[in-house]
Amino acid sequence: MRKLVNRSLRFNFKKLYLEDEKDDKSQEGINKASKGGLVYGDYLQLNKILNAQELQSEKKGNKIHDEHLFIVTHQAYELWFKQILWEMDSVRVIFQNGHVRDERNMLKVITRINRISMILKLLVEQFSVLETMTALDFFDFRYYLSPASGFQSLQFRLLENKIGVPQSLRVPYNRRHYRDNFKGQDYELLLKSEQEPTLLQLVEAWLERTPGLNTEEFDFWGQFEVNVLKGLEEEFALVQAKPESEEKDDLLSEFQNQKDALLSLFDEKRHEHLLSKGERRLSYKALKGALMIYFYREEPRFQVPFQLLTSLMDIDVLMTKWRYNHVCMVHRMIGSKSGTGGSSGYQYLRSTVSDRYKVFVDLFNLSTFLVPRHWIPKMNPNIHKFLYTAEYCDSSYFSSDDSD
């Protein structure tokens, strides 16, 4: 009886399967690859990539398991660095060729800058994979790596240069210029990248052309200074009216700090002095443009530029996080030992986690100068209409060439 039941179930299942097979649209495709032509592995050249992991420990007759993880992780970093440089160069070309004057190209810039941020987020998180290896696991094969060092990553140095890390603020590597650690074609590529316009310089020139900044009908900077002086007077009067107390002294001290910061904004000579010291990176005119975008970011004309400035700060933040995670990982793995390339290791890397390597530091500092909304100059109807629409028809802006 049981055999009959099982046979009946198998028959019914087979019958159902055949009926379902007739109606199975998931199997209606055509296997094009069977006819020849380009296939997945060839397209990605996986034979080269997947056979590029040469363990030094194995070559020395002492194969260490975790060296494979170490190599793959760093190769993944370098592949992503290559993509970041690809996106960065394309954005620089759009700015450099003047295509950014046609504001329709700004969406392309924003998309690619955001893509860089997404990749950097991935790279920051990637340290957690490498940290599944213990310090002792790393010690087992570290000896075989010398004198190779992460400092010798050509692509990362190119990335720093193309973004705009100031050469004058770089931390020396063993008391020598960073470029002295590279030779031949690598040295020439770094030298060339130092001479090309950086993303910082290109953004600076773009900010200097901020729409409405130089319009005769609207003296933004002059009106803003008048409003700030008036607002400070009103705030001082409110504080002074309070009865004498420790709280009043604190408020007066806080007010004085705010006053000094805001009034410094209108001191162009002081700005130039800070620029010469490397404490500011943007020109005075570009700083005005950036602040104008911040204040009027809700205007249609400034919404995308505001997103760009925010995305540029994201890149700085993520680069800083990457450096910090790198420092922490190195400290965990080798303590205070020297690096495989001869540097002081953790001590050297720690010195690079500072504002000297932050490129768009002026954008972060804009928050220092934010004021109550009623201090921001009101626009007249003409300038408001001007900032309501994006520029793409004016012959002085429009470029018909492909921005790529």
Side-chain angles (χ1 to χ4, degrees):
M1 184 69 179
R2 186 179 297 172
K3 287 183 179 180
L4 288 173
V5 170
N6 288 339
R7 193 177 299 165
S8 175
L9 285 172
R10 282 199 300 271
F11 174 78
N12 289 334
F13 177 78
K14 188 175 181 181
K15 184 179 179 182
L16 286 171
Y17 176 76
L18 290 171
E19 289 176 356
D20 289 344
E21 192 177 41
K22 293 176 183 178
D23 299 325
D24 189 359
K25 296 188 181 297
S26 69
Q27 301 301 313
E28 291 181 0
I30 301 172
N31 187 6
K32 293 183 178 181
S34 64
K35 299 178 181 179
L38 186 66
V39 294
Y40 180 81
D42 294 340
Y43 176 65
L44 297 178
Q45 298 192 54
L46 293 181
N47 188 50
K48 292 181 181 179
I49 296 172
L50 300 181
N51 288 287
Q53 295 74 43
E54 189 175 78
L55 278 63
Q56 292 300 306
S57 60
E58 186 175 20
K59 288 177 67 177
K60 299 297 192 297
N62 182 30
K63 183 179 178 180
I64 305 298
H65 177 85
D66 278 10
E67 187 182 356
H68 191 276
L69 171 69
F70 188 81
I71 292 172
V72 168
T73 304
H74 283 79
Q75 287 176 337
Y77 272 123
E78 291 296 333
L79 280 171
W80 282 123
F81 288 158
K82 183 172 185 178
Q83 186 63 37
I84 290 173
L85 288 170
W86 178 264
E87 304 297 346
M88 182 74 64
D89 285 342
S90 72
V91 168
R92 288 166 62 238
V93 166
I94 292 173
F95 274 103
Q96 206 167 347
N97 291 349
H99 296 296
V100 77
R101 291 173 181 267
D102 177 0
E103 294 175 12
R104 290 173 296 184
N105 283 322
M106 287 303 295
L107 183 60
K108 190 179 292 183
V109 169
I110 286 286
T111 299
R112 293 175 185 178
I113 290 292
N114 283 339
R115 184 177 295 160
I116 291 172
S117 291
M118 290 299 104
I119 294 171
L120 286 171
K121 283 182 181 178
L122 182 66
L123 298 188
V124 168
E125 292 300 321
Q126 191 168 290
F127 280 106
S128 61
V129 178
L130 203 53
E131 286 172 346
T132 61
M133 176 176 63
T134 68
L136 186 57
D137 294 331
F138 181 51
F139 182 80
D140 287 340
F141 66 87
R142 183 173 182 260
Y143 172 79
Y144 300 117
L145 307 182
S146 184
S149 166
F151 183 85
Q152 298 157 7
S153 170
L154 172 65
Q155 291 194 119
F156 190 75
R157 302 304 155 204
L158 288 171
L159 176 58
E160 290 178 327
N161 289 345
K162 292 184 178 192
I163 290 177
V165 172
Q167 300 304 314
S168 60
L169 296 182
R170 277 186 176 275
V171 178
Y173 187 79
N174 293 344
R175 297 186 176 85
R176 296 175 63 188
H177 192 277
Y178 87 98
R179 208 186 320 112
D180 292 341
N181 293 275
F182 297 84
K183 297 178 181 178
Q185 186 179 5
D186 290 352
Y187 183 95
E188 295 302 321
L189 282 171
L190 288 168
L191 185 61
K192 182 186 176 193
S193 69
E194 291 175 19
Q195 296 165 348
E196 295 173 349
T198 67
L199 181 62
L200 173 66
Q201 291 169 336
L202 294 167
V203 168
E204 177 185 64
W206 168 71
L207 284 170
E208 288 176 348
R209 300 194 305 270
T210 299
L213 187 61
N214 300 316
T215 306
E216 293 181 3
E217 297 179 16
F218 181 58
D219 181 14
F220 162 68
W221 202 245
Q223 288 184 39
F224 181 49
E225 183 175 9
V226 169
N227 290 2
V228 166
L229 290 172
K230 182 182 178 183
L232 287 172
E233 286 180 6
E234 292 172 352
E235 283 200 354
F236 180 70
L238 289 172
V239 176
Q240 280 290 72
K242 292 182 178 294
E244 295 299 326
S245 65
E246 188 175 335
E247 181 188 3
K248 180 180 179 179
D249 292 340
D250 291 341
L251 288 172
L252 283 170
S253 176
E254 186 179 331
F255 168 80
Q256 189 60 47
N257 290 336
Q258 180 193 24
K259 179 181 178 181
D260 291 343
L262 288 173
L263 293 184
S264 71
L265 191 58
F266 305 103
D267 187 345
E268 188 171 356
K269 288 184 179 179
R270 184 172 184 274
H271 179 89
E272 295 300 326
H273 174 66
L274 293 173
L275 202 60
S276 66
K277 291 173 62 180
E279 293 181 24
R280 287 191 184 169
R281 309 288 167 80
L282 294 172
S283 69
Y284 192 57
K285 190 174 182 180
L287 187 68
K288 291 180 182 180
L291 199 59
M292 189 174 183
I293 290 170
Y294 261 55
F295 283 153
Y296 303 108
R297 61 189 178 276
E298 294 171 358
E299 296 296 327
R301 190 81 177 270
F302 284 159
Q303 288 174 8
V304 173
F306 178 73
Q307 290 177 41
L308 174 59
L309 298 186
T310 302
S311 296
L312 292 173
M313 286 191 288
D314 288 342
I315 288 178
D316 256 341
V317 167
L318 291 164
M319 289 284 284
T320 302
K321 285 183 178 179
W322 190 91
R323 292 181 193 278
Y324 179 74
N325 281 11
H326 187 204
V327 170
C328 291
M329 186 197 68
V330 167
H331 200 195
R332 173 186 293 191
M333 293 295 180
I334 67 172
S336 57
K337 292 177 184 176
S338 297
T340 51
S343 74
S344 58
Y346 164 71
Q347 299 296 335
Y348 167 75
L349 291 173
R350 189 177 67 173
S351 69
T352 66
V353 185
S354 67
D355 280 357
R356 65 197 301 162
Y357 279 86
K358 194 180 286 183
V359 177
F360 299 99
V361 65
D362 289 346
L363 300 182
F364 289 86
N365 289 333
L366 286 180
S367 297
T368 308
F369 310 116
L370 297 183
V371 296
R373 287 181 183 265
H374 66 275
W375 291 18
I376 300 171
K378 302 294 183 186
M379 295 181 183
N380 60 46
N382 288 338
I383 193 68
H384 190 272
K385 182 179 179 181
F386 177 66
L387 294 179
Y388 193 76
T389 53
E391 185 70 75
Y392 62 87
C393 294
D394 191 321
S395 59
S396 66
Y397 281 81
F398 184 71
S399 173
S400 59
D401 297 333
D402 184 2
S403 60
D404 285 326

